[in-house]
Amino acid sequence: MTQLFNTYLQQNNYTQFDLKAVLFDMDGVLYDSMPAHAQSWQETMEEFGLKLTKPEDFYLHEGRPADFTINILFKNEFHRDATPDEIKEMYARKSELFAKHNTGAFIEGAKELLYLVKSRRLVPVLVTGSKQPTLLDRLDDNFPDIFTPETMVTAFDTEIGKPHPEPFLMGLEKGGNLKPNQAIAIENAPLGAESATQAGIFTICVNTGPLDDKILADAGANIVFHSMKELLDNFSEILKITSTIRNN
């Protein structure tokens, strides 16, 4: 694992890490909400007369702003952009279905990792493409004293969204006007991995969905773990490596 961190330093011309923050995605990293998202998108497509795909295919869109996703679906099916009214209506229906299907379950190990990060005097920053109030409104109840409005980046804050680096660049800013080597990103989706790596951040992907590990690695993930519990078990070693490794 040490070599992966050393390769990052070499490729990005950094001498060392200077960790100040950990940037967390939300769906599929903190909450086990992606199955509900996929099912909700699938049912919404059926209701709006769009060509059905496998629910798993929506994991490839995860992290993308909803209006961008809807436009892609309309272009694929109708060869045109969705109108503002179509976007509003479709997203409202998807949100309604998501609230119905979502269980609110945490990803195992996520809460413990958040508090470990904070105990090491690192700043936890949320970087999500979500606008779902049913999730966003619960963060403080579910993870007390972890996130504040000043340490959260959501779809309400960004103009472009993932896979563009904008959300993670904003996350660096909210973490304390940081440089990329002063943070680590925790993601679970290829678009999120692409966003974080384009922002220049060392990116750890936790594969909590049905996608092949290679998809996440090809999107730029520096390390792929298979659960948040596995990442939690390795996190103290990661902090040790980042505090001692030097690229001379």
Side-chain angles (χ1 to χ4, degrees), residues 25-245:
D25 180 37
M26 185 171 68
D27 293 306
V29 170
L30 304 182
Y31 291 104
D32 190 16
S33 48
M34 276 310 299
H37 278 296
Q39 183 178 357
S40 302
W41 276 119
Q42 183 77 357
E43 292 180 13
T44 302
M45 286 180 66
E46 184 174 5
E47 290 183 15
F48 280 75
L50 292 158
K51 183 178 180 181
L52 296 181
T53 56
K54 301 186 298 295
E56 293 80 7
D57 290 344
F58 287 102
Y59 285 79
L60 297 172
H61 291 285
E62 182 186 351
R64 195 191 307 275
D67 51 346
F68 285 41
T69 298
I70 292 169
N71 257 332
I72 290 172
L73 297 175
F74 267 72
K75 284 180 179 179
N76 289 342
E77 182 72 16
F78 304 126
H79 309 290
R80 64 171 178 84
D81 288 337
T83 67
D85 285 345
E86 287 170 331
I87 290 172
K88 183 177 180 180
E89 184 180 359
M90 191 171 182
Y91 186 63
R93 179 55 175 156
K94 186 266 174 182
S95 298
E96 181 182 13
L97 289 168
F98 176 76
K100 171 185 173 183
H101 296 310
N102 185 41
T103 66
F106 301 158
I107 294 287
E108 183 182 2
K111 194 168 189 175
E112 294 84 350
L113 183 58
L114 286 171
Y115 286 100
L116 175 59
V117 165
K118 192 158 186 181
S119 74
R120 297 300 183 92
R121 298 185 178 180
L122 300 172
V123 179
V125 179
L126 187 77
V127 182
T128 177
S130 179
K131 283 185 177 179
Q132 295 285 349
T134 53
L135 285 179
L136 297 176
D137 291 349
R138 290 208 316 270
L139 279 167
D140 196 45
D141 290 336
N142 295 154
F143 309 113
D145 303 318
I146 293 293
F147 302 110
T148 69
E150 291 73 30
T151 59
M152 292 171 57
V153 179
T154 75
F156 294 109
D157 302 305
T158 59
E159 294 183 6
I160 306 172
K162 304 172 186 178
H164 192 277
E166 175 197 33
F168 279 98
L169 291 173
M170 192 173 293
L172 290 174
E173 182 180 343
K174 290 201 169 191
N177 294 314
L178 305 179
K179 296 178 181 179
N181 67 323
Q182 294 181 299
I184 286 176
I186 312 295
E187 264 286 351
N188 72 304
L191 296 186
E194 186 178 343
S195 174
T197 55
Q198 285 194 72
I201 305 168
F202 189 95
T203 303
I204 297 172
C205 268
V206 183
N207 193 352
T208 57
L211 300 179
D212 191 279
D213 287 355
K214 187 177 185 300
I215 294 175
L216 299 172
D218 288 347
N222 299 97
I223 301 176
V224 178
F225 288 108
H226 297 102
S227 68
M228 286 293 284
K229 181 68 166 56
E230 185 183 6
L231 171 57
L232 177 65
D233 291 342
N234 283 275
F235 200 73
S236 291
E237 178 66 17
I238 288 170
L239 294 182
K240 180 179 178 182
I241 292 171
T242 54
S243 66
T244 57
I245 194 170

